[in-house]
Amino acid sequence: MPSSHAALVACLCTTIAFHSGLDSDVFILAFGFYLVTIRDAVGVRRANGVQAKMLNDMGRALEQKGLYEYKKIKEVQGHTPLEVFVGSLLGFFIGVAFSVL
């Protein structure tokens, strides 16, 4: 259910924030990495999965009519926003736990 990618980068940002501070260069870099990872998980990979599903549907329809021999492509669905949110929360709390303990 939760996104492991979101959890990992959220934990990374949290531990860096505790150890280096929110105004450090390395935190800004980690936060940028977090934003890119989240955007990829929710937006880009999800859009690719929807597009692949549509292409497979069109290819199947053409193959049933005998017009084209279609080879199915892989459908990677990405993550829903809820999965990314839960993964980010989980990563944040794990990062807090390791930084405080």
Side-chain angles (χ1 to χ4, degrees):
M1 155 54 169
S3 168
S4 62
H5 296 100
L8 179 70
V9 293
C11 184
L12 176 72
C13 282
T14 305
T15 55
I16 288 174
F18 270 95
H19 292 286
S20 299
L22 291 174
D23 59 346
S24 69
D25 295 340
V26 71
F27 173 74
I28 298 300
L29 182 66
F31 188 69
F33 180 58
Y34 171 78
L35 292 176
V36 168
T37 303
I38 297 305
R39 175 69 180 133
D40 179 64
V42 174
V44 177
R45 292 185 71 207
R46 188 139 185 93
N48 286 344
V50 170
Q51 184 178 19
K53 184 176 179 340
M54 290 299 296
L55 286 172
N56 284 335
D57 291 344
M58 290 184 338
R60 227 177 286 122
L62 288 174
E63 196 170 40
Q64 287 176 351
K65 292 181 180 181
L67 299 174
Y68 183 72
E69 190 173 322
Y70 182 73
K71 182 181 175 189
K72 185 177 176 182
I73 59 175
K74 185 177 179 182
E75 297 177 18
V76 178
Q77 292 300 321
H79 294 290
T80 63
L82 179 64
E83 291 172 342
V84 171
F85 180 72
V86 171
S88 293
L89 278 179
L90 183 65
F92 173 75
F93 288 122
I94 290 171
V96 168
F98 276 104
S99 295
V100 173
L101 296 177

